Amino acid sequence: MSEKEKVEGYVEHIIFRNEENGYTVLNLSMKGRELTCVGTLPMIGEGELIEASGDYIEHAAYGKQFRIESYETKVPQDSVALERYLGSGAIKGVGAALAARIVRRFGDDTLRIIEEEPERLAEVKGISERKAREIAQQVAEKAEMQNAMIFLSGYGIALNLGAKIYQQYGDNVYRILKENPYKMAEDIAGVGFRTADEIAGKIGIAVDSEFRIKSGLSYVLNQATAEGHVYLPEPVLLRRGQELLGVEPERMQKSLQDMAIDKKAVIRELPAEREGDEPLRIVYASQYYYLELSTARMLHELNITCEEDREAIEKRIGKIEKKYQIELDEMQKTAVVEAAYSGLMILTGGPGTGKTTTINAMIHYFEAEGLDIFLAAPTGRAAKRMTEATGYEARTIHRMLEISGGAEGNAGFERNENNPLETDVIIIDEMSMVDINLIHSLLKAIVPGTRLILVGDVNQLPSVGAGCVLKDIIDSECFHVVKLTKIFRQASQSDIIVNAHKINRGEEVVLDNKSMDFFFLKRYDADVIISVVIQLIRQKLPKFVDATPYDIQVLTPMRKGLLGVERLNRILQEYLNPPDQSKVEHEYGDGLFREGDKVMQTKNNYQIEWEVRNRYGIPVDKGEGVFNGDTGIIRSINSFAETMEVEFDERRMVEYSFKQLEELELAYAITIHKSQGSEYPAVVIPVHSGPRMLMTRNLIYTAVTRAKACVCLVGIPEVFQAMVDNEVEQKRYSGLKDRILEIT
């Protein structure tokens, strides 16, 4: 390894500092020359004398820079240096003139005076005794902070993380680190269990320490929520805990009980499935147990039956049918009736069963009654589809609740129990995508007496977040549920819809390609499958469905593998948006982004700004928020400014800095999970062998139902049939149904 370069000088000027991560650009004055330095330097202030080690780098736009990896602050040695340091602004309330007077009075002895005899500073004109104490305190604090940073760096803690830790704990940092470094995982964003565990290992915390076991079990429970689980059965939790911690389950039992006593976890018992078996103990991270409990309580509170005459309702529905020339079957009429006199009702059904017609009839009914109606869906695309289908504005649930706050997980809502939604009726579509956190936030903002109508297809994939909300509400049998099963004549002419229902029932789908909208092209080799997919997107399908290649979506079950999202995107990018001298590129991670690329936002960002511009480039609308699953096109890449501009639906232009590119990925191919709530003119689905737990019926069902005009499956027919036969859903541990039943 090459020896690191060392530089020494005064911090002349801080050019830029990112307050979130501490990334700093500064000018270092070194004996007559200036050097631009960069690095994670949250604590460095102007005027400080530092010795830094690192290496020289060449920036494409800004030329030669010194990248600082570590540094230490040096004590200014002479009166000139002291004056410079004190007058730099590093000490609040001490400007250049006052610094000059202090140093003139005490000379090279200035620092010792400040540290040991601070009261003597009052000898200087313009300094009271109080101000003298304040100056001494600031100098001491800076020294303490510096010492703490050196202490933390000894355990391999990076400067920006060290700054966060010191800001959180101050002088207590030494005690906390030595006693229980796992506390950091609870208190500080950016410090997870694994980071704390690494630090604890260096400090010498025992493997079976109580603190370590509790923190590890909390980590396992929180990780489980990322897989969709709200709780874990105790045997599963202990097995995962053992894999993570290397500690025997018996040793973890006591810690688990202590967590329950400390209200960090909730332990419940499920009745035994078979007679003679032990009841199954299940464990929640406590916030998720109370989320479920509170959600169940609020659902019951909304479940009010209105005093309405059924005959009168049916007469009004008849008038609506005549006026809007719509014909409702018995189940659809039942759904409108239920919606009219129920505080809470659920409408479910597969594609082509008339959910949209029913929603429209409900809207017309409530409008005729003079009621205010809000329409919403979990994603931007689903909301857009709802708007197109009803002719009424639909918003994302997040927008309806008036999102506030930062990135994913830190968002709050302006609409809540103290500031509820002001409307009479709320209709939510694509409910299968709603997780326990979002339903809880939604219910908090609804006053009992407001009608809530939940619409969704329970056979779709469950939400990405924790819980099985729609399924649990329906399975509880505590609320008004109308299930639409009849496939309407128009829909029955579509093989997409007919085959979707066959898939859902586990029946064999005929793959003879006599269809006009459902095709299966048999290919057995992965690379041959890809070349057929490219041909379909570039040549065959655009004319067939009257759409651009960018509108046609490739859907695949997996991220990794020969036909996973990552490999497909790299190949499709080369064919659909090949390199060109006129297109700017930017390398990122293992791949690159190119002007003209199709990309997807991969997390909710509620703060990022967008604007809509007219043909002259003048903004005519603006707002905030881009959401997980939103797709757009890269319109420009500015390597000098390190920014990239993406155009999303409705001509929304968003500027990303290069540091934000982790939120984007190529979207020529996306996972079927990511396609939920979206609809495309045509979908192309590569079908090849993969893990059985991924290759499921509800996965292929979800993929097929994303297509408006054409489904093209390319691959192995036996694998397709195996997916149809595989009704094993990945088990989700969710207790909302039990919580609902407990309250009844």
Side-chain angles (χ1 to χ4, degrees):
M1 235 173 88
S2 60
E3 189 80 13
K4 292 290 174 193
E5 304 260 5
K6 284 197 172 352
V7 296
E8 186 176 314
Y10 291 94
V11 179
E12 187 74 36
H13 175 53
I14 290 177
I15 302 165
F16 167 79
R17 174 168 285 148
N18 181 327
E19 294 302 335
E20 280 185 25
N21 59 22
Y23 180 80
T24 304
V25 182
L26 57 86
N27 277 346
L28 198 68
S29 177
M30 305 163 49
K31 295 178 181 166
R33 72 183 181 98
E34 281 202 354
L35 177 65
T36 303
C37 298
V38 297
T40 304
L41 312 160
M43 299 300 175
I44 282 184
E46 290 181 355
E48 290 188 23
L49 175 63
I50 64 164
E51 184 182 80
S53 68
D55 46 31
Y56 286 96
I57 56 170
E58 194 69 33
H59 190 281
Y62 304 115
K64 191 177 180 184
Q65 297 179 336
F66 188 76
R67 183 168 55 199
I68 297 177
E69 288 188 6
S70 64
Y71 75 95
E72 65 181 279
T73 305
K74 311 278 282 188
V75 178
Q77 297 300 324
D78 55 44
S79 54
V80 175
L82 277 164
E83 188 178 322
R84 181 177 191 147
Y85 171 67
L86 290 172
S88 67
I91 309 292
K92 281 183 192 150
V94 179
L98 187 54
R101 289 206 296 278
I102 293 170
V103 174
R104 219 170 22 249
R105 173 76 181 83
F106 300 114
D108 293 351
D109 210 22
T110 301
L111 261 191
R112 189 194 65 75
I113 296 285
I114 293 172
E115 286 169 4
E116 296 174 16
E117 303 174 75
E119 66 281 354
R120 286 191 58 194
L121 290 172
E123 296 172 18
V124 177
K125 189 183 172 190
I127 298 180
S128 62
E129 281 184 26
R130 184 179 162 195
K131 190 162 185 174
R133 283 196 301 274
E134 282 174 5
I135 293 169
Q137 192 179 341
Q138 282 188 66
V139 170
E141 279 172 4
K142 284 186 94 67
E144 278 166 18
M145 188 181 289
Q146 198 63 45
N147 291 336
M149 298 304 281
I150 291 164
F151 169 77
L152 291 169
S153 68
Y155 293 113
I157 298 171
L159 288 169
N160 60 331
L161 187 55
K164 275 188 183 174
I165 294 169
Y166 187 79
Q167 280 161 4
Q168 178 74 33
Y169 300 128
D171 289 348
N172 289 325
V173 68
Y174 306 101
R175 178 179 61 78
I176 285 165
L177 237 65
K178 288 204 163 82
E179 285 178 11
N180 178 17
Y182 297 97
K183 192 166 172 19
M184 295 189 296
E186 292 175 33
D187 298 341
I188 301 166
V191 180
F193 169 78
R194 290 191 182 279
T195 306
D197 200 39
E198 206 176 303
I199 295 164
K202 290 174 180 169
I203 289 167
I205 301 285
V207 171
D208 64 349
S209 148
E210 188 79 6
F211 295 128
R212 182 170 186 262
I213 293 171
K214 285 180 184 174
S215 185
L217 290 172
S218 289
Y219 173 75
V220 170
L221 286 171
N222 284 323
Q223 286 298 105
T225 63
E227 300 166 28
H229 305 305
V230 180
Y231 67 81
L232 285 178
E234 188 181 50
V236 175
L237 172 63
L238 294 177
R239 189 188 72 241
R240 291 188 179 190
Q242 189 176 9
E243 287 166 9
L244 177 73
L245 302 167
V247 175
E248 290 302 309
E250 294 73 34
R251 178 71 184 81
M252 289 185 269
Q253 288 274 12
K254 183 184 175 303
S255 300
L256 200 52
Q257 290 300 335
D258 289 347
M259 285 169 73
I261 293 165
D262 296 340
K263 295 194 167 44
K264 294 282 172 57
V266 173
I267 303 172
R268 298 293 304 260
E269 280 192 355
L270 294 182
E273 287 187 11
R274 289 188 298 271
E275 213 174 319
D277 286 358
E278 290 285 311
L280 179 67
R281 281 164 48 108
I282 62 172
V283 185
Y284 286 84
S286 55
Q287 71 267 33
Y288 278 93
Y289 175 77
Y290 292 111
L291 267 178
E292 280 193 343
L293 198 60
S294 174
T295 299
R297 180 181 51 73
M298 291 188 290
L299 285 167
H300 279 296
E301 284 172 0
L302 288 178
N303 193 27
I304 302 166
T305 303
C306 308
E307 296 301 318
E308 287 271 4
D309 179 12
R310 192 177 179 106
E311 272 185 41
I313 295 171
E314 285 177 353
K315 274 183 190 167
R316 287 177 216 149
I317 294 168
K319 285 179 185 170
I320 286 164
E321 285 182 290
K322 275 194 194 123
K323 185 177 176 181
Y324 295 99
Q325 294 179 330
I326 53 176
E327 198 175 320
L328 303 174
D329 76 351
E330 277 312 302
M331 288 311 287
Q332 289 176 308
K333 280 180 190 168
T334 302
V336 181
V337 171
E338 294 275 1
Y341 71 75
S342 308
L344 173 65
M345 79 88 55
I346 297 95
L347 177 67
T348 184
T353 55
K355 291 197 296 294
T356 301
T357 305
T358 311
I359 291 171
N360 280 327
M362 288 174 183
I363 292 170
H364 296 317
Y365 180 92
F366 291 128
E367 265 198 328
E369 296 294 295
L371 302 179
D372 288 332
I373 309 160
F374 282 179
L375 306 182
T379 65
R381 284 205 151 209
K384 188 184 174 192
R385 278 178 64 196
M386 201 179 183
T387 301
E388 288 165 357
T390 62
Y392 292 80
E393 188 205 356
R395 295 170 286 175
T396 63
I397 299 171
H398 294 91
R399 277 207 196 291
M400 181 175 74
L401 296 177
E402 297 172 22
I403 192 81
S404 64
E408 196 158 27
N410 301 323
F413 295 102
E414 297 292 331
R415 296 287 178 178
N416 49 38
E417 62 271 46
N418 302 318
N419 181 26
L421 292 163
E422 293 166 25
T423 188
D424 303 304
V425 181
I426 297 168
I427 303 175
I428 307 289
D429 200 8
E430 296 285 356
M431 259 307 293
S432 60
M433 300 175 71
V434 173
D435 62 20
I436 190 69
N437 283 295
L438 191 53
I439 189 76
H440 185 261
S441 297
L442 173 68
L443 294 172
K444 276 202 312 185
I446 301 176
V447 178
T450 306
R451 287 178 176 86
L452 176 63
I453 297 153
L454 306 176
V455 184
D457 182 352
V458 79
N459 295 307
Q460 296 273 6
L461 289 167
S463 58
V464 174
C468 285
V469 172
L470 181 63
K471 188 173 183 299
D472 278 356
I473 293 174
I474 293 171
D475 289 352
S476 73
E477 298 181 356
C478 290
F479 310 104
H480 300 274
V481 178
V482 176
K483 186 172 184 182
L484 303 177
T485 52
K486 181 184 168 185
I487 302 175
F488 283 84
R489 188 169 54 83
Q490 196 181 346
S492 68
Q493 293 166 0
S494 159
D495 285 320
I496 296 173
I497 287 170
V498 171
N499 288 337
H501 284 273
K502 281 185 176 176
I503 291 168
N504 191 34
R505 292 192 296 267
E507 296 170 8
E508 189 179 346
V509 176
V510 178
L511 305 174
D512 59 5
N513 288 342
K514 289 178 181 170
S515 167
M516 288 302 293
D517 59 7
F518 191 98
F519 305 98
F520 198 108
L521 306 177
K522 293 179 190 177
R523 302 290 189 276
Y524 290 84
D525 179 79
D527 289 339
V528 175
I529 292 171
I530 293 173
S531 66
V532 172
V533 167
I534 292 164
Q535 200 181 7
L536 285 167
I537 297 171
R538 288 173 78 184
Q539 291 154 24
K540 302 276 176 69
L541 287 172
K543 287 180 196 153
F544 189 67
V545 296
D546 190 23
T548 71
Y550 277 41
D551 295 326
I552 295 158
Q553 190 60 59
V554 179
L555 301 179
T556 180
M558 297 158 288
R559 288 199 63 82
K560 307 280 182 195
L562 290 173
L563 290 169
V565 164
E566 292 172 9
R567 182 168 186 250
L568 278 171
N569 270 320
R570 281 198 294 274
I571 296 168
L572 291 169
Q573 182 187 42
E574 289 306 295
Y575 283 92
L576 299 176
N577 187 32
D580 188 303
Q581 282 188 329
S582 65
K583 295 175 189 172
V584 183
E585 297 177 352
H586 174 67
E587 284 189 25
Y588 188 79
D590 296 334
L592 59 84
F593 291 116
R594 183 178 293 136
E595 286 177 349
D597 273 337
K598 182 179 177 182
V599 290
M600 174 184 272
Q601 177 78 13
T602 60
K603 56 170 72 167
N604 292 334
N605 186 331
Y606 305 111
Q607 286 186 315
I608 199 163
E609 293 177 355
W610 54 260
E611 59 182 33
V612 176
R613 301 171 194 150
N614 64 15
R615 55 197 283 202
Y616 306 109
I618 297 162
V620 290
D621 191 15
K622 55 177 56 180
E624 290 180 350
V626 181
F627 301 102
N628 187 353
D630 286 356
T631 54
I633 307 286
I634 299 173
R635 293 301 183 203
S636 66
I637 296 174
N638 186 328
S639 301
F640 181 77
E642 297 192 343
T643 58
M644 190 163 92
E645 203 162 54
V646 179
E647 182 178 352
F648 288 98
D649 290 341
E650 279 95 49
R651 301 200 335 273
R652 292 176 301 149
M653 303 295 288
V654 176
E655 188 177 271
Y656 290 83
S657 76
F658 282 0
K659 289 192 183 75
Q660 290 172 299
L661 296 186
E662 65 187 26
E663 296 185 13
L664 289 174
E665 62 182 34
L666 292 175
Y668 298 102
I670 63 173
T671 61
I672 296 166
H673 278 92
K674 286 281 189 193
S675 72
Q676 280 181 274
S678 298
E679 197 174 60
Y680 311 96
V683 299
V684 181
I685 308 166
V687 181
H688 204 265
S689 53
R692 183 172 157 78
M693 58 181 274
L694 272 180
M695 313 299 277
T696 61
R697 182 185 296 175
N698 64 349
L699 196 80
I700 195 72
Y701 172 79
T702 301
V704 165
T705 55
R706 299 306 90 206
K708 246 192 276 193
C710 182
V711 170
C712 239
L713 296 121
V714 187
I716 306 169
E718 292 79 8
V719 171
F720 171 75
Q721 194 54 52
M723 288 181 81
V724 175
D725 295 340
N726 181 14
E727 60 177 327
V728 178
E729 287 180 44
Q730 217 176 338
K731 175 69 179 160
R732 277 206 170 193
Y733 301 114
S734 166
L736 181 59
K737 175 187 165 183
D738 295 333
R739 301 292 83 74
I740 291 168
L741 291 169
E742 279 173 1
I743 296 173
T744 52

